[in-house]
Amino acid sequence: MPYKNLEEYNVEITDHIKERYKSIIKDLGEDTQRDGLLKTPERAAKAMQFLTQGYEQDPVEILKAAMFKESYNEMVIVKDIELYSLCEHHILPFFGKVHIAYIPNGQIVGLSKLPRVVDVFARRLQVQERLTEQILDCINDTLQPQGVAVVIEASHMCMMMRGVQKQNSTTTTSGFRGQFEKIETRNEFLKLIGK
């Protein structure tokens, strides 16, 4: 059976982006008719649409689709969620891990929905600080738990490939709401994620 691509793209938008990439490649001094580059503008256009599809998705609806009444009221942690995003300053990738915890207040959410929320916000042009707050606020406002915690650890290609060219640096951001603003709850969470 031949390979079938299940990704769908708006043809008009793809064509517009493709032409822009073609111009950029040409302006950089490359031959856009060279074998290896013939399909690059279209591939890049589709890749950029995929990497920014978060603008078309609603993270609140994702959470609401899998909320369940439950009496459990202890910490729930999903850690080591893979993160891939694009820095809005250079449109270069940053990547790492997200750790999320919440303490339910009569409602729990399907565990896969937390990584989906991460992806929605990560698949936009971003800065790590805003990404941390968006994930935190979305979970807090939608689930209305007793508390939420988010920690992101990421490496930024804009610091590794260009600029200061520091290969081993990572950036950590965190945010805490509700019960996680208490030092003992925060410390328990940080211990459980190995920080």
Side-chain angles (χ1 to χ4, degrees):
M1 181 173 190
Y3 170 78
K4 183 175 180 178
N5 187 349
L6 300 176
E7 296 175 12
E8 293 182 18
Y9 299 96
N10 178 306
V11 175
E12 187 178 334
I13 292 173
T14 301
D15 285 343
H16 285 299
I17 298 171
K18 177 176 77 174
E19 289 307 313
R20 290 183 177 106
Y21 270 113
K22 196 173 189 178
S23 293
I24 291 169
I25 292 168
K26 187 176 180 181
D27 288 346
L28 293 173
E30 262 291 1
D31 176 8
T32 57
Q33 297 305 307
R34 183 165 63 78
D35 269 353
L37 291 176
L38 278 174
K39 294 190 176 188
T40 299
E42 182 176 351
R43 288 186 192 112
K46 289 179 177 178
M48 188 56 72
Q49 289 174 83
F50 178 83
L51 295 171
T52 60
Q53 66 183 302
Y55 292 115
E56 306 296 323
Q57 298 170 332
D58 185 347
V60 172
E61 288 306 313
I62 289 170
L63 289 177
K64 285 183 175 179
M67 287 174 57
F68 309 99
K69 289 185 180 182
E70 190 61 52
S71 62
Y72 184 82
N73 64 357
E74 299 295 328
M75 197 180 301
V76 176
I77 300 174
V78 180
K79 67 179 192 173
D80 297 328
I81 301 166
E82 294 94 352
L83 163 72
Y84 300 95
S85 191
L86 292 174
C87 163
E88 69 181 33
H89 300 142
H90 302 97
I91 312 183
L92 287 173
F94 66 95
F95 56 93
K97 294 183 178 183
V98 181
H99 313 288
I100 299 173
Y102 75 100
I103 300 172
N105 191 19
Q107 299 245 52
I108 61 168
V109 68
L111 295 176
S112 70
K113 302 309 177 195
L114 297 176
R116 290 183 191 279
V117 167
V118 170
D119 283 347
V120 169
F121 289 118
R123 289 182 179 155
R124 300 175 181 185
L125 299 180
Q126 276 291 7
V127 294
Q128 185 173 331
E129 297 87 344
R130 182 186 324 116
L131 178 60
T132 304
E133 281 196 333
Q134 287 176 331
I135 295 166
L136 184 72
D137 290 341
C138 179
I139 295 167
N140 191 58
D141 296 347
T142 307
L143 292 182
Q144 298 183 346
Q146 296 178 55
V148 183
V150 174
V151 171
I152 298 179
E153 303 167 290
S155 297
H156 293 250
M157 296 305 284
C158 59
M159 285 180 59
M160 297 167 73
M161 291 179 69
R162 56 161 309 283
V164 296
Q165 299 179 34
K166 299 302 175 196
Q167 305 306 306
N168 298 306
S169 64
T170 58
T171 301
T172 302
T173 51
S174 61
F176 305 96
R177 298 284 188 273
Q179 292 296 317
F180 288 96
E181 293 175 281
K182 295 179 180 175
I183 194 70
E184 60 273 8
T185 309
R186 183 183 304 193
N187 285 343
E188 179 185 353
F189 164 65
L190 294 172
K191 183 179 178 184
L192 289 168
I193 65 169
K195 303 299 162 208

